[in-house]
Amino acid sequence: MIKALKPTSEFSRSVLTLMTGTSIAQAIPIAISPILTRIYTPEEFGVFAIYVSFTGFLAIFVTLRYEHAIVLPKKKSEVDSLCIGLMLIISAISLFFLAVSICFGNDIASALGSREATSWVYFVPFSVFLLGTYNALNYRLLWLKNYKSSATGKVMMSGSNAAGNVSLGVLGWTKFGLVLGNCVSYLISAAYLFKKNKQRPLNLKCLSLEKIYEVLGRYKSFPLQNLPSAIVNGMYNNGKIILISLFMSSAIVGYLSLVLRVLQIPVTVVSSAISDAVYKNSAEELNSGNVGRLRNRVLKLLLILLAVGFFPFLTIYLYGKEIFSLVFGAEWAIAGTYASVMSLGLYTMFFASPLTKILWALEKNKWYFYWELSRLALVSIPLVYFGLVGSKEIFIVWSLTVGLSVSYLLLVVIVFSALGRSFCGRV
């Protein structure tokens, strides 16, 4: 019976391997959070959240999205040329970020609310370089079909980050323990992927600048077309913390970052898994011309997700303060209050976000991009407004959860509108 449950095709095995690695890697930060909150203060969590958001956003630019092109060439020589070209790009942009951090590091840190701890800014260029290198090496492993090493690399990054955070905190390095542990984890995981890539090393003898320019030119659509969408998505994912840090203290950022760490990650993992299944099923139904049946299935899925998520998020809404105080320590009771408020937005995100890939199946990519823009505006504009007028912290959190709720309700309307148009077009 167990053998019957095992995936038989190479594709299924590769997907299962990558999903397992990703799930473990994302579970580790949540699992160690109760330990970290008893070692580090909310202010230190806040500085770390700003560093992670800043690094995550700049990492979009450092590769210009060329890493996604690595899996496309048929010839290894073209893959190697693309990797070398990408490493040159990563190095050049990282050096630029380093120069900016040297010249304006203190000003950037002060503007983002971490006036007491400014040294994190100088870790950013190195972290961005290592993260860009990791992504390039990871996609080369995917081209080599070494899925196990790719999955292991993700677990190693998350595991070494957790071990470093706890170890440095216990040793008393709490001021920079979270930042330093994260940076070291990038180094360890990148070194691991580099070692695995050496099993089929780059053929440097066959490379030339002319070949590198040729391959980069062939895949120029990635920086020209994919990068703008990635920037919008990155501004939403990382911009929330950065915007809040402009108006609030590091402690407030720390409270909110813990909420997003332990609540948003599970929502994202579950939603991503469901959306992949929905995407495949949607494509099959559309190819069969069964748009009406697809619409009914999507409605049924939406109702199921509404029911499944109702009681867990209701529990957080009613008892968030008590739960966070018990699990993370009394010092984090304020984070529990924020979790109660954020549960409304995250609940909407839980039942609506799996529908995003239906727009891809309907080939409504522009609709999806416009929705991403509207989501960014609905979340960021109220944050900026309440921050500028000096509102209380709780109002800023409420503006965030309302922006999330409205944007994902808008997504539901857009998806059913797109399904209705496709249905009318096929009648």
Side-chain angles (χ1 to χ4, degrees):
M1 183 176 177
I2 296 176
K3 289 183 178 180
L5 296 174
K6 291 183 178 180
T8 55
S9 68
E10 180 184 356
F11 174 75
S12 299
R13 287 195 297 271
S14 64
V15 170
L16 180 61
T17 300
L18 293 173
M19 284 183 61
T20 302
T22 301
S23 299
I24 295 173
Q26 292 180 328
I28 290 174
I30 300 174
I32 67 161
S33 291
I35 300 174
L36 295 181
T37 53
R38 288 169 170 80
I39 298 175
Y40 297 94
T41 65
E43 290 81 2
E44 289 159 349
F45 256 85
V47 171
F48 177 62
I50 298 169
Y51 153 80
V52 169
S53 297
F54 217 63
T55 300
F57 183 63
L58 294 182
I60 299 171
F61 296 91
V62 79
T63 60
L64 300 179
R65 309 301 282 178
Y66 269 119
E67 74 272 27
H68 295 283
I70 292 175
V71 298
L72 298 180
K74 294 182 179 180
K75 298 180 180 178
K76 181 176 178 296
S77 60
E78 294 180 353
V79 173
D80 291 349
S81 296
L82 194 54
C83 286
I84 294 298
L86 180 53
M87 287 307 305
L88 292 174
I89 292 172
I90 291 170
S91 301
I93 297 178
S94 298
L95 285 173
F96 171 75
F97 289 154
L98 178 61
V100 172
S101 66
I102 292 173
C103 296
F104 307 105
N106 290 337
D107 296 329
I108 294 172
S110 297
L112 295 176
S114 55
R115 297 170 183 83
E116 300 83 8
T118 60
S119 299
W120 66 266
V121 176
Y122 305 106
F123 286 94
V124 170
F126 299 102
S127 298
V128 168
F129 172 78
L130 292 170
L131 189 55
T133 302
Y134 170 89
N135 287 331
L137 294 172
N138 182 58
Y139 275 91
R140 188 173 185 271
L141 282 178
L142 294 179
W143 185 86
L144 294 171
K145 297 184 178 181
N146 191 345
Y147 303 112
K148 183 178 180 180
S149 294
S150 175
T152 302
K154 293 179 181 180
V155 175
M156 184 170 291
M157 177 186 290
S158 184
S160 59
N161 185 28
N165 291 161
V166 174
S167 301
L168 291 170
V170 170
L171 291 173
W173 288 34
T174 56
K175 190 173 183 180
F176 299 112
L178 293 170
V179 174
L180 183 58
N182 186 259
C183 190
V184 171
S185 73
Y186 290 155
L187 176 61
I188 292 173
S189 54
Y192 171 78
L193 294 192
F194 178 77
K195 180 181 178 181
K196 292 300 178 180
N197 271 274
K198 285 183 68 177
Q199 294 176 359
R200 290 190 64 185
L202 296 169
N203 189 359
L204 300 178
K205 295 180 179 179
C206 298
L207 298 180
S208 65
L209 286 177
E210 182 180 355
K211 182 67 175 178
I212 291 172
Y213 285 133
E214 178 188 340
V215 176
L216 290 176
R218 185 186 310 168
Y219 296 105
K220 64 182 179 181
S221 62
F222 284 87
L224 294 178
Q225 298 178 14
N226 291 16
L227 186 59
S229 178
I231 292 173
V232 172
N233 192 264
M235 290 174 68
Y236 165 74
N237 289 325
N238 302 293
K240 299 189 292 291
I241 292 296
I242 295 175
L243 281 177
I244 292 172
S245 69
L246 294 174
F247 308 108
M248 299 289 111
S249 66
S250 297
I252 300 302
V253 176
Y255 291 133
L256 191 56
S257 69
L258 179 66
V259 174
L260 296 176
R261 179 188 182 111
V262 299
L263 296 184
Q264 184 170 300
I265 290 178
V267 169
T268 302
V269 171
V270 173
S271 298
S272 178
I274 296 173
S275 65
D276 288 339
V278 170
Y279 186 36
K280 183 178 184 299
N281 183 261
S282 300
E284 292 173 350
E285 295 288 6
L286 290 171
N287 290 332
S288 302
N290 297 321
V291 182
R293 187 165 67 179
L294 174 60
R295 185 184 176 95
N296 292 334
R297 285 190 174 183
V298 172
L299 178 59
K300 183 178 180 180
L301 172 65
L302 186 62
L303 294 175
I304 291 173
L305 292 174
L306 279 165
V308 169
F310 180 76
F311 287 106
F313 285 103
L314 179 63
T315 302
I316 296 171
Y317 178 74
L318 295 175
Y319 305 107
K321 185 175 181 179
E322 291 79 3
I323 293 172
F324 270 65
S325 297
L326 176 65
V327 176
F328 303 109
E331 188 180 9
W332 294 88
I334 296 176
T337 302
Y338 294 167
S340 295
V341 176
M342 286 298 300
S343 64
L344 300 175
L346 292 172
Y347 175 49
T348 313
M349 179 181 174
F350 171 77
F351 68 72
S353 57
L355 309 184
T356 52
K357 291 186 179 180
I358 294 175
L359 294 177
W360 297 2
L362 293 168
E363 299 182 14
K364 302 290 186 182
N365 294 335
K366 284 187 177 180
W367 288 33
Y368 179 74
F369 180 67
Y370 293 148
W371 172 75
E372 282 193 316
L373 285 174
S374 65
R375 180 181 62 170
L376 176 63
L378 286 167
V379 170
S380 60
I381 292 176
L383 282 178
V384 173
Y385 171 77
F386 284 108
L388 289 174
V389 299
S391 299
K392 293 182 179 179
E393 294 86 352
I394 195 65
F395 290 132
I396 291 181
V397 179
W398 268 110
S399 74
L400 178 57
T401 198
V402 170
L404 278 175
S405 299
V406 173
S407 64
Y408 279 98
L409 290 174
L410 177 62
L411 173 64
V412 174
V413 174
I414 291 173
V415 168
F416 278 96
S417 176
L419 286 168
R421 290 194 176 198
S422 297
F423 179 75
C424 292
R426 292 172 186 249
V427 172

